Amino acid sequence: MNDTFLKACRGEKTDYVPVWMMRQAGRYLPEYQKVRGNISFLSLCKTPELCVEVTLQPVTRLHMDAAILFSDILIPMEAMGAGLEFHEGRGPVFHDTIRDQAGLDRLIIPDPEATMGFVMETIRLLRRELQVPLIGFAGAPFTCATYLIEGGSSKTFWETKKMMFTQPELFHGLMEKITACTLAYLQAQAKAGAQVLQIFDSWVGILAPCDFEEFALPYVQTIIGGLQDTTLPIIYFANNGATLLDLSIRSGADVLGLDWRINIRDAIRRVGNKALQGNLDPFALMLPRDALRQRIKRMLDAATDAHGYIFNLGHGIHQFTPPDQAKCAVDAVHELSGR
Ligand code: 1CP
């Protein structure tokens, strides 16, 4: 068992810098496309044998130091009773948006094993196969709430902020319900065998620091606090969160994820004894190979003072990235950091 990634999460010394890539299983891999050719995305998420197969694909092809469970952050929102569909090219759609008390009352706090047993089954199957640690995950309450309120992806987040500012009690009520669901869901993943848990806060970067502190951070703290007895390392990734980094320290996470909009040296200075994960611009994978290696070398040099460092992209890998470019980056991290 290769435990380099686990050690880095705990801030322990490692022989080399471990690497994985957010959204590493997905459409940029032809072997993923092949599996997806015959089945809808939601059906794929609910078929453990296929989830195992696509989880393993990037680990095998690219030699990643960690695997991430194949699922989606919106699966537990569906289990709460919000009807979810994925439309090709348009992404997720919730038909019944949550914008009033009646909508909120209709949401349930589901039993994770009873409603999302396929996720826990995927975890149990993966643990038999994997030689690297398995990351379980969930969306952070704020990011999940945006999908329920907007009815899908959004550019302006008008409805979300409108609810926050004009119906704060309703907004907090929704956040409380999502938090209870997410905590139980992550506890179930831990029980099934997940070895690290990552919380994805993809859209929280739209908030002013004061609103992050009031409307989003307390719920992340509740989840991480509630996971303490699992003793698993927790990663909190606030996308577009450079301006929220000082507050994110208070999340209680062991590892903070960084996007690419911050210099990693600045981040190290600011976070003290937390481990860091990131922060290559996903589009930098398109650099010519020599330039890509040079950029990775600079990042590794800058990160030597971190209290634990995991190489990753600053956000998910883009669907048109050539897999060979991703492989070149993984190999460079391993070679240049002394593996
Ligand atoms: O067409 C397809 O095959 C579906 C594409 C796809 C995939 C591969 C979606 C739809 N989700 C996923 C898997 C997924 N999603 C993983 C599995 C692990 C992996 O790929 O390695 C993970 C961790 C996620 C997490 C996720 N889903 C996030 C958080 C991370 C991030 O990228 O910010 C978010 C925001 C989603 C929502 C989502 N899922 C899928 C789409 C198209 C979207 C919408 C994104 C948006 O609103 O712009």
Side-chain angles (χ1 to χ4, degrees):
M1 167 76 181
N2 172 352
D3 65 349
T4 309
F5 170 66
L6 289 178
K7 283 188 174 151
C9 288
R10 296 202 182 96
E12 294 166 18
K13 266 222 134 349
T14 56
D15 299 335
Y16 65 95
V17 172
V19 47
W20 69 281
M21 291 183 185
M22 285 190 276
R23 307 288 292 265
Q24 65 190 17
R27 284 175 294 185
Y28 75 107
L29 289 178
E31 54 270 40
Y32 172 84
Q33 304 256 24
K34 204 166 159 218
V35 174
R36 263 288 270 121
N38 311 315
I39 188 167
S40 74
F41 175 66
L42 266 183
S43 304
L44 169 56
C45 286
K46 294 175 184 178
T47 311
E49 291 73 19
L50 293 178
C51 287
V52 169
E53 184 179 338
V54 296
T55 300
L56 296 176
Q57 286 171 351
V59 181
T60 309
R61 183 197 267 250
L62 302 169
H63 304 153
M64 299 296 187
D65 294 293
I68 181 159
L69 163 72
F70 189 85
S71 187
D72 196 83
I73 61 164
L74 299 175
I75 292 288
M77 300 306 101
E78 184 185 48
M80 289 180 82
L84 171 63
E85 286 174 22
F86 276 91
H87 293 232
E88 293 300 327
R90 204 177 130 205
V93 177
F94 289 103
H95 287 291
D96 299 312
T97 50
I98 310 296
R99 295 184 187 169
D100 56 21
Q101 189 63 44
L104 174 56
D105 290 344
R106 275 197 301 274
L107 293 179
I108 59 156
I109 297 169
D111 174 335
E113 273 289 353
T115 58
M116 297 175 277
F118 48 87
V119 172
M120 276 35 93
E121 180 60 12
T122 301
I123 293 174
R124 286 187 284 266
L125 292 171
L126 276 167
R127 282 301 305 278
R128 290 193 219 143
E129 304 269 335
L130 281 166
Q131 301 302 316
V132 294
L134 176 62
I135 305 166
F137 70 89
F142 180 79
T143 288
C144 293
T146 67
Y147 284 98
L148 295 179
I149 299 167
E150 305 289 338
S153 305
S154 176
K155 284 203 165 72
T156 60
F157 299 93
W158 168 254
E159 296 292 342
T160 305
K161 288 198 180 179
K162 192 169 83 181
M163 189 194 290
M164 259 173 54
F165 293 133
T166 66
Q167 297 177 279
E169 279 169 24
L170 181 66
F171 185 84
H172 281 295
L174 176 58
M175 291 291 282
E176 273 168 30
K177 244 175 170 169
I178 297 173
T179 299
C181 167
T182 305
L183 175 56
Y185 178 51
L186 289 174
Q187 282 168 329
Q189 291 187 31
K191 200 168 156 223
Q195 291 158 290
V196 171
L197 297 169
Q198 173 153 329
I199 300 170
F200 284 94
D201 222 343
S202 305
W203 306 125
V204 79
I206 64 163
L207 294 179
C210 61
D211 293 322
F212 174 65
E213 203 174 353
E214 180 176 348
F215 291 101
L217 180 62
Y219 301 98
V220 177
Q221 288 170 324
T222 299
I223 293 170
I224 295 176
L227 291 167
Q228 285 313 298
D229 36 334
T230 68
T231 73
L232 298 185
I234 314 285
I235 306 171
Y236 176 57
F237 171 60
N239 182 38
N240 224 329
T243 51
L244 307 175
L245 190 59
D246 302 281
L247 289 167
S248 295
I249 295 168
R250 290 198 236 143
S251 65
D254 306 277
V255 186
L256 293 177
L258 301 175
D259 65 31
W260 65 93
R261 300 167 185 91
I262 184 170
N263 181 297
I264 196 160
R265 270 189 221 277
D266 291 345
I268 293 168
R269 243 194 323 268
R270 282 160 64 185
V271 301
N273 64 349
K274 297 243 178 240
L276 290 172
Q277 170 175 282
N279 73 329
L280 184 73
D281 181 343
F283 288 24
L285 290 176
M286 296 313 293
L287 283 167
R289 299 253 167 124
D290 284 349
L292 176 57
R293 273 180 77 93
Q294 268 173 35
R295 183 182 281 228
I296 289 171
K297 171 95 173 65
R298 279 205 306 276
M299 272 181 60
L300 292 169
D301 288 346
T304 46
D305 291 336
H307 184 80
Y309 174 57
I310 300 133
F311 190 96
N312 204 314
L313 305 178
H315 200 178
I317 189 166
H318 188 271
Q319 66 162 313
F320 298 130
T321 309
D324 282 351
Q325 289 291 115
K327 175 80 164 53
C328 171
V330 173
D331 290 347
V333 174
H334 284 156
E335 281 166 36
L336 295 169
S337 71
R339 182 170 162 154

